[in-house]
CSV table of all heavy atoms in Angstrom, one decimal:
chain,number,residue,atom,x,y,z
A,10,ARG,N,-17.4,9.6,6.7
A,10,ARG,CA,-17.1,8.1,6.8
A,10,ARG,C,-16.2,7.8,8.0
A,10,ARG,O,-15.1,8.4,8.1
A,10,ARG,CB,-16.4,7.7,5.5
A,10,ARG,CG,-16.5,6.2,5.3
A,10,ARG,CD,-15.0,5.7,5.3
A,10,ARG,NE,-15.0,4.3,4.8
A,10,ARG,CZ,-14.9,3.2,5.5
A,10,ARG,NH1,-15.0,3.3,6.8
A,10,ARG,NH2,-14.8,2.0,5.0
A,13,GLY,N,-12.4,7.5,7.5
A,13,GLY,CA,-12.1,8.0,6.2
A,13,GLY,C,-10.8,8.7,6.2
A,13,GLY,O,-9.9,8.5,5.3
A,14,ILE,N,-10.6,9.6,7.1
A,14,ILE,CA,-9.3,10.4,7.2
A,14,ILE,C,-8.1,9.5,7.3
A,14,ILE,O,-7.1,9.7,6.6
A,14,ILE,CB,-9.3,11.4,8.4
A,14,ILE,CG1,-10.4,12.4,8.2
A,14,ILE,CG2,-8.0,12.0,8.5
A,14,ILE,CD1,-10.0,13.8,7.8
A,16,ARG,N,-7.8,6.5,6.1
A,16,ARG,CA,-7.6,5.8,4.9
A,16,ARG,C,-7.0,6.7,3.8
A,16,ARG,O,-6.2,6.2,3.0
A,16,ARG,CB,-8.9,5.2,4.4
A,16,ARG,CG,-9.3,3.9,5.2
A,16,ARG,CD,-10.8,3.6,5.0
A,16,ARG,NE,-11.1,2.3,5.6
A,16,ARG,CZ,-11.2,2.1,6.9
A,16,ARG,NH1,-11.1,3.1,7.8
A,16,ARG,NH2,-11.6,0.9,7.4
A,17,VAL,N,-7.3,7.9,3.8
A,17,VAL,CA,-6.8,8.8,2.7
A,17,VAL,C,-5.4,9.4,3.1
A,17,VAL,O,-4.8,10.0,2.2
A,17,VAL,CB,-7.8,9.9,2.3
A,17,VAL,CG1,-9.1,9.3,1.8
A,17,VAL,CG2,-8.0,10.9,3.4
A,18,THR,N,-5.0,9.3,4.3
A,18,THR,CA,-3.7,9.8,4.7
A,18,THR,C,-2.7,8.7,4.9
A,18,THR,O,-1.5,9.0,5.2
A,18,THR,CB,-3.8,10.6,6.1
A,18,THR,OG1,-4.4,9.7,7.0
A,18,THR,CG2,-4.7,11.8,5.9
A,19,GLY,N,-3.1,7.5,4.8
A,19,GLY,CA,-2.2,6.4,5.0
A,19,GLY,C,-1.9,6.0,6.5
A,19,GLY,O,-1.1,5.2,6.8
A,20,ARG,N,-2.7,6.7,7.4
A,20,ARG,CA,-2.5,6.4,8.8
A,20,ARG,C,-3.2,5.1,9.2
A,20,ARG,O,-2.8,4.6,10.2
A,20,ARG,CB,-3.0,7.6,9.6
A,20,ARG,CG,-2.1,8.8,9.6
A,20,ARG,CD,-2.4,9.7,10.8
A,20,ARG,NE,-3.7,10.4,10.7
A,20,ARG,CZ,-3.8,11.6,10.1
A,20,ARG,NH1,-2.8,12.2,9.6
A,20,ARG,NH2,-5.0,12.2,10.0
A,21,GLN,N,-4.2,4.7,8.5
A,21,GLN,CA,-4.9,3.5,8.8
A,21,GLN,C,-3.9,2.3,8.9
A,21,GLN,O,-3.2,2.1,7.9
A,21,GLN,CB,-6.0,3.2,7.8
A,21,GLN,CG,-6.7,1.9,8.0
A,21,GLN,CD,-7.5,1.8,9.3
A,21,GLN,OE1,-8.3,2.7,9.5
A,21,GLN,NE2,-7.3,0.8,10.0
A,22,VAL,N,-3.9,1.6,10.0
A,22,VAL,CA,-3.0,0.5,10.1
A,22,VAL,C,-3.7,-0.8,9.8
A,22,VAL,O,-4.7,-1.1,10.5
A,22,VAL,CB,-2.4,0.4,11.6
A,22,VAL,CG1,-1.5,-0.8,11.7
A,22,VAL,CG2,-1.6,1.7,11.9
A,23,TYR,N,-3.2,-1.5,8.8
A,23,TYR,CA,-3.8,-2.8,8.5
A,23,TYR,C,-2.9,-3.8,9.2
A,23,TYR,O,-1.8,-3.5,9.6
A,23,TYR,CB,-3.8,-3.0,7.0
A,23,TYR,CG,-4.7,-2.1,6.3
A,23,TYR,CD1,-4.3,-0.8,6.0
A,23,TYR,CD2,-6.0,-2.4,5.9
A,23,TYR,CE1,-5.1,0.1,5.3
A,23,TYR,CE2,-6.9,-1.5,5.3
A,23,TYR,CZ,-6.4,-0.2,5.0
A,23,TYR,OH,-7.3,0.7,4.4
A,25,ALA,N,-1.0,-6.1,8.2
A,25,ALA,CA,0.3,-6.2,7.6
A,25,ALA,C,1.2,-5.0,7.9
A,25,ALA,O,2.4,-5.1,7.7
A,25,ALA,CB,0.3,-6.4,6.1
A,26,ASP,N,0.6,-4.0,8.4
A,26,ASP,CA,1.4,-2.8,8.8
A,26,ASP,C,1.9,-2.8,10.2
A,26,ASP,O,2.7,-2.0,10.6
A,26,ASP,CB,0.5,-1.5,8.6
A,26,ASP,CG,0.1,-1.3,7.1
A,26,ASP,OD1,0.8,-1.7,6.2
A,26,ASP,OD2,-1.1,-0.8,6.9
A,28,ARG,N,3.9,-3.5,13.4
A,28,ARG,CA,5.3,-3.8,13.7
A,28,ARG,C,5.4,-4.2,15.2
A,28,ARG,O,5.2,-3.3,16.0
A,28,ARG,CB,6.2,-2.6,13.4
A,28,ARG,CG,6.2,-2.2,11.9
A,28,ARG,CD,6.9,-3.2,11.1
A,28,ARG,NE,6.9,-2.9,9.6
A,28,ARG,CZ,5.9,-3.3,8.8
A,28,ARG,NH1,4.9,-4.0,9.2
A,28,ARG,NH2,6.0,-3.0,7.5
B,31,ARG,N,8.4,0.9,3.8
B,31,ARG,CA,7.5,0.3,4.9
B,31,ARG,C,8.4,-0.2,6.1
B,31,ARG,O,8.0,0.1,7.2
B,31,ARG,CB,6.8,-0.9,4.3
B,31,ARG,CG,5.6,-0.5,3.3
B,31,ARG,CD,5.0,-1.7,2.7
B,31,ARG,NE,4.5,-2.6,3.7
B,31,ARG,CZ,3.4,-2.5,4.4
B,31,ARG,NH1,2.6,-1.4,4.2
B,31,ARG,NH2,3.0,-3.4,5.3
B,32,ASP,N,9.5,-0.8,5.8
B,32,ASP,CA,10.2,-1.5,6.9
B,32,ASP,C,11.4,-0.7,7.4
B,32,ASP,O,11.7,-0.6,8.6
B,32,ASP,CB,10.7,-2.9,6.4
B,32,ASP,CG,9.5,-3.8,6.1
B,32,ASP,OD1,8.4,-3.6,6.6
B,32,ASP,OD2,9.7,-4.7,5.2
B,37,THR,N,4.2,3.1,6.4
B,37,THR,CA,3.4,1.9,5.9
B,37,THR,C,2.2,2.3,5.1
B,37,THR,O,1.3,1.4,4.8
B,37,THR,CB,3.0,1.1,7.2
B,37,THR,OG1,2.2,1.9,8.0
B,37,THR,CG2,4.2,0.5,7.9
B,40,LYS,N,1.2,0.2,0.3
B,40,LYS,CA,0.8,-1.1,0.6
B,40,LYS,C,1.6,-2.2,-0.1
B,40,LYS,O,1.9,-2.0,-1.3
B,40,LYS,CB,-0.7,-1.3,0.4
B,40,LYS,CG,-1.6,-0.4,1.3
B,40,LYS,CD,-1.2,-0.4,2.7
B,40,LYS,CE,-2.0,0.6,3.5
B,40,LYS,NZ,-1.4,0.8,4.8
B,78,VAL,N,1.8,8.6,0.1
B,78,VAL,CA,0.5,9.1,0.5
B,78,VAL,C,0.7,10.0,1.8
B,78,VAL,O,0.0,10.9,2.0
B,78,VAL,CB,-0.5,8.0,0.7
B,78,VAL,CG1,-0.1,7.1,1.9
B,78,VAL,CG2,-1.9,8.5,0.9
B,91,GLN,N,-7.3,14.1,-1.4
B,91,GLN,CA,-7.7,13.4,-0.2
B,91,GLN,C,-9.1,13.9,0.2
B,91,GLN,O,-10.0,13.1,0.5
B,91,GLN,CB,-6.7,13.6,0.9
B,91,GLN,CG,-5.4,13.0,0.6
B,91,GLN,CD,-4.3,13.4,1.6
B,91,GLN,OE1,-4.1,14.6,1.8
B,91,GLN,NE2,-3.6,12.4,2.2
B,95,LEU,N,-12.7,11.7,0.3
B,95,LEU,CA,-13.6,11.6,1.4
B,95,LEU,C,-15.0,12.0,1.0
B,95,LEU,O,-16.0,11.4,1.4
B,95,LEU,CB,-13.1,12.5,2.5
B,95,LEU,CG,-11.9,12.0,3.3
B,95,LEU,CD1,-11.4,13.1,4.3
B,95,LEU,CD2,-12.2,10.7,4.0
B,100,ALA,N,-13.2,5.7,-0.4
B,100,ALA,CA,-12.5,4.8,0.4
B,100,ALA,C,-13.5,3.8,1.1
B,100,ALA,O,-14.3,4.2,1.9
B,100,ALA,CB,-11.6,5.5,1.4
B,101,GLN,N,-13.4,2.6,0.7
B,101,GLN,CA,-14.2,1.6,1.4
B,101,GLN,C,-13.3,0.8,2.3
B,101,GLN,O,-13.1,1.3,3.4
B,101,GLN,CB,-14.9,0.6,0.4
B,101,GLN,CG,-16.0,1.4,-0.5
B,101,GLN,CD,-16.7,0.5,-1.4
B,101,GLN,OE1,-17.3,-0.5,-1.0
B,101,GLN,NE2,-16.8,0.8,-2.7
B,102,CYS,N,-12.7,-0.3,2.0
B,102,CYS,CA,-11.8,-0.9,2.9
B,102,CYS,C,-10.6,0.0,3.0
B,102,CYS,O,-9.9,0.0,4.0
B,102,CYS,CB,-11.4,-2.3,2.5
B,102,CYS,SG,-10.2,-2.4,1.2
B,103,GLY,N,-10.3,0.7,2.0
B,103,GLY,CA,-9.2,1.7,2.0
B,103,GLY,C,-7.9,1.2,1.5
B,103,GLY,O,-6.9,2.0,1.4
B,104,PHE,N,-7.7,-0.1,1.3
B,104,PHE,CA,-6.4,-0.7,1.0
B,104,PHE,C,-5.8,-0.1,-0.2
B,104,PHE,O,-4.6,0.1,-0.3
B,104,PHE,CB,-6.5,-2.2,1.0
B,104,PHE,CG,-5.1,-2.8,1.2
B,104,PHE,CD1,-4.5,-2.9,2.5
B,104,PHE,CD2,-4.5,-3.4,0.2
B,104,PHE,CE1,-3.3,-3.5,2.7
B,104,PHE,CE2,-3.2,-4.0,0.3
B,104,PHE,CZ,-2.6,-4.0,1.6
B,106,ILE,N,-6.4,2.7,-1.6
B,106,ILE,CA,-6.6,4.2,-1.7
B,106,ILE,C,-5.2,4.9,-1.8
B,106,ILE,O,-5.1,5.8,-2.6
B,106,ILE,CB,-7.5,4.7,-0.6
B,106,ILE,CG1,-8.9,4.2,-0.8
B,106,ILE,CG2,-7.4,6.2,-0.4
B,106,ILE,CD1,-9.5,4.6,-2.1
B,110,LEU,N,-4.5,7.4,-4.9
B,110,LEU,CA,-4.3,8.8,-4.6
B,110,LEU,C,-3.0,9.2,-5.4
B,110,LEU,O,-2.9,10.3,-6.0
B,110,LEU,CB,-4.1,9.1,-3.1
B,110,LEU,CG,-5.4,9.2,-2.4
B,110,LEU,CD1,-5.2,9.1,-0.9
B,110,LEU,CD2,-6.2,10.5,-2.7
Side-chain angles (χ1 to χ4, degrees):
Chain A
R10 196 245 197 260
I14 295 255
R16 282 162 174 76
V17 300
T18 56
R20 282 200 290 269
Q21 173 67 51
V22 176
Y23 297 82
D26 300 326
R28 296 291 177 268
Chain B
R31 288 177 55 79
D32 300 332
T37 57
K40 301 308 175 194
V78 67
Q91 292 170 309
L95 287 175
Q101 294 185 53
C102 81
F104 199 75
I106 295 302
L110 282 166

